[in-house]
Amino acid sequence: MSDGGESPTASGGDRTTVEDRPTPAERRSPEGWPVELRGVTESLVTTLGPNDLWNVAALGLHPPETPSDADSGNSAAESVGSVASADSPVTARTWGNTRTRRNFHRQGGGYVQFVRDPVDFVDATLSIFEVERPVLDSADAWVEVEADQVDSGVSGATRWEEWELTPRDGAVERETVPTVNRGFNAVVEATVAASRLGVEAYDQTELQNRLAYFEDVGRTCGDDRVRAAFDRLRDHLSE
Amino acid sequence: MSDGGESPTASGGDRTTVEDRPTPAERRSPEGWPVELRGVTESLVTTLGPNDLWNVAALGLHPPETPSDADSGNSAAESVGSVASADSPVTARTWGNTRTRRNFHRQGGGYVQFVRDPVDFVDATLSIFEVERPVLDSADAWVEVEADQVDSGVSGATRWEEWELTPRDGAVERETVPTVNRGFNAVVEATVAASRLGVEAYDQTELQNRLAYFEDVGRTCGDDRVRAAFDRLRDHLSE
């Protein structure tokens, strides 16, 4: 167990098979955002409804376009491009006539938050989940955003609207060492599959098989919160 | 966008549909570990080989048993139980006669690390990935562990060995706000599917379908590193 007395993290000659990695220091958060946004980041958003409660829903955040993405001429690649840059806005899409869409129009924004609780993900995705205050206890960080509709369209039979999100306020509640848990990840994928049940564009047998696979992964690799999330998911689906 | 002048994080009456959540403060890291371990945590481990290089491989960490798990009388639940407690060891299994197994026997331990780079996950899982120093640049935290073999068995045609991991040294290199990226998660699931290709116990068509699904998710929701990881995965599979 000796490394010849050298520090395990000493620099120089570290890799034999891999090079050219971005170090964390090279990564940037978009202006006003407390987190790096790379690829599509799954957040929860609260928006104030006409009943004076905050509706909690899932919202996928797309980082700003980077020059290399824009150069590619591929619009899909542009919207899910690589590291966020500081000079163009973060965007998100609402799909269908959801509470988030209506509340964005009515209130002009909401609170985007970064959450690791699997039960919150399930409740936000598959049920009407309303709270009295805009920031969840489980949020590691939150951003109050102004939401401006900048585009709309139809995909399949679903009308979508695209929103630019501009940070107005925000805070980091806690930082930690991120860890990888396949059980938590399975919850996120399961909510995606479950939210497509009954939507004609998707093969329903395939969705059910995928749900079964993720539930198996979740119950094997997850903790008690992941198991509670799958219990809740099954409850929501049978409602 | 007004919350009546109240702080968005003010306490009291926060939830209308959900209660009884553990707050982060109630979570505990096992003694000597720089991270919470909940469910099975996917880490990378480096072990010193006879060629004096550090072999990088994936290692699933099982938190210590908790009293409620032990009470259940369900051995599967025991080993993947809930929040780690401070008074029993973290365990992990090696599957087959891997470099990690052989190096654990020879050296008595290695360096467990918590990594978010998707290319590292692919290289560690699907190729011989060796480095000159035990801690990867991409590690957010690392733990030097003593590994003691405490059990063994056969599952399918594969012999496994179970190891107790006792921390000897460690450091947190950086903390951050964890975010959810389905693209990164898809890389982890894809490496699981890919590592089962050619193993008789698994339906090969199902594995290929799963790989295709995760690659699609990764290329849609991932950033440039996730796309590089899938390129690398395809390279490894065609080697």
Side-chain angles (χ1 to χ4, degrees):
Chain A
M1 276 295 329
S2 160
D3 186 25
E6 297 167 331
S7 159
T9 52
S11 62
D14 199 302
R15 288 172 189 290
T16 58
T17 67
V18 184
E19 72 268 347
D20 208 25
R21 293 152 188 276
T23 62
E26 295 170 36
R27 297 174 179 168
R28 290 179 297 168
S29 300
E31 196 169 338
W33 291 82
V35 299
E36 283 169 28
L37 297 176
R38 297 175 63 88
V40 182
T41 300
E42 307 300 326
S43 75
L44 299 185
V45 64
T46 53
T47 51
L48 188 61
N51 61 356
D52 248 11
L53 291 173
W54 293 86
N55 182 74
V56 190
L59 193 68
L61 306 176
H62 294 238
E65 294 174 25
T66 57
S68 66
D69 292 326
D71 287 346
S72 75
N74 175 333
S75 67
E78 280 172 26
S79 66
V80 297
S82 49
V83 184
S85 70
D87 44 11
S88 62
V90 171
T91 59
R93 283 186 182 184
T94 50
W95 294 84
N97 183 22
T98 59
R99 281 172 173 71
T100 300
R101 173 193 163 278
R102 297 197 300 273
N103 293 341
F104 270 174
H105 277 296
R106 201 158 30 211
Q107 300 288 342
Y111 286 75
V112 170
Q113 40 216 293
F114 301 93
V115 167
R116 282 174 294 151
D117 185 82
V119 177
D120 279 347
F121 264 92
V122 166
D123 286 343
T125 313
L126 303 176
S127 72
I128 298 169
F129 178 19
E130 295 176 317
V131 295
E132 290 179 6
R133 310 238 171 223
V135 176
L136 298 170
D137 291 340
S138 58
D140 292 321
W142 56 273
V143 190
E144 185 186 358
V145 296
E146 181 184 307
D148 298 295
Q149 195 209 321
V150 292
D151 199 2
S152 65
V154 175
S155 181
T158 305
R159 186 180 157 80
W160 54 263
E161 296 186 12
E162 186 162 300
W163 302 83
E164 283 187 0
L165 305 177
T166 308
R168 293 301 176 210
D169 192 10
V172 172
E173 300 292 339
R174 69 190 76 84
E175 294 187 314
T176 186
V177 174
T179 52
V180 177
N181 178 263
R182 292 180 60 210
F184 173 79
N185 299 351
V187 170
V188 175
E189 283 303 307
T191 62
V192 173
S195 66
R196 290 172 177 172
L197 289 172
V199 179
E200 234 177 75
Y202 297 97
D203 181 319
Q204 300 296 302
T205 307
E206 203 172 290
L207 291 178
Q208 292 289 2
N209 289 345
R210 210 170 285 156
L211 263 179
Y213 171 73
F214 289 122
E215 183 162 6
D216 184 50
V217 171
R219 292 192 187 276
T220 305
C221 302
D223 66 354
D224 48 354
R225 286 304 281 172
V226 167
R227 287 190 288 271
F230 276 103
D231 292 345
R232 191 83 68 130
L233 182 146
R234 290 296 173 189
D235 287 349
H236 291 321
L237 291 186
S238 65
E239 272 161 12
Chain B
M1 276 292 332
S2 160
D3 186 24
E6 296 168 332
S7 159
T9 51
S11 61
D14 200 301
R15 288 171 190 291
T16 59
T17 67
V18 183
E19 72 269 346
D20 208 24
R21 293 151 188 277
T23 62
E26 294 170 38
R27 298 175 178 167
R28 289 178 299 166
S29 300
E31 195 169 340
W33 290 82
V35 300
E36 284 168 28
L37 298 176
R38 297 176 64 87
V40 182
T41 300
E42 307 300 328
S43 75
L44 299 186
V45 65
T46 52
T47 52
L48 188 61
N51 62 356
D52 248 13
L53 292 173
W54 293 86
N55 181 74
V56 190
L59 193 69
L61 306 175
H62 294 236
E65 293 174 24
T66 56
S68 65
D69 292 326
D71 286 345
S72 75
N74 176 333
S75 65
E78 280 172 25
S79 64
V80 297
S82 48
V83 184
S85 69
D87 45 10
S88 62
V90 171
T91 58
R93 282 186 183 184
T94 50
W95 295 84
N97 183 22
T98 58
R99 281 172 173 71
T100 301
R101 174 194 163 277
R102 296 198 301 272
N103 294 341
F104 271 174
H105 277 294
R106 201 157 30 209
Q107 299 288 343
Y111 286 75
V112 170
Q113 40 216 294
F114 301 93
V115 168
R116 281 175 294 151
D117 185 82
V119 177
D120 279 347
F121 264 92
V122 166
D123 286 342
T125 312
L126 302 176
S127 72
I128 297 170
F129 178 19
E130 295 177 316
V131 295
E132 290 179 6
R133 309 236 171 226
V135 176
L136 298 170
D137 291 341
S138 58
D140 292 321
W142 57 273
V143 190
E144 184 186 358
V145 296
E146 182 184 307
D148 298 294
Q149 196 208 321
V150 292
D151 200 3
S152 65
V154 176
S155 181
T158 305
R159 185 180 159 81
W160 54 263
E161 296 186 14
E162 186 163 301
W163 304 82
E164 284 187 0
L165 305 178
T166 309
R168 293 302 176 209
D169 192 10
V172 171
E173 300 292 340
R174 69 191 76 85
E175 294 187 313
T176 187
V177 174
T179 52
V180 178
N181 179 264
R182 291 179 61 210
F184 174 79
N185 299 350
V187 171
V188 175
E189 283 303 307
T191 62
V192 173
S195 66
R196 290 171 178 172
L197 289 172
V199 179
E200 234 178 76
Y202 296 96
D203 181 320
Q204 299 296 304
T205 307
E206 203 171 290
L207 291 178
Q208 292 289 2
N209 290 345
R210 210 170 284 154
L211 262 179
Y213 171 72
F214 289 123
E215 184 163 5
D216 184 51
V217 171
R219 293 192 186 275
T220 304
C221 302
D223 66 354
D224 49 353
R225 285 305 280 173
V226 167
R227 287 190 289 270
F230 275 103
D231 292 344
R232 190 83 68 130
L233 182 146
R234 290 295 173 190
D235 287 347
H236 291 322
L237 291 186
S238 64
E239 272 161 12

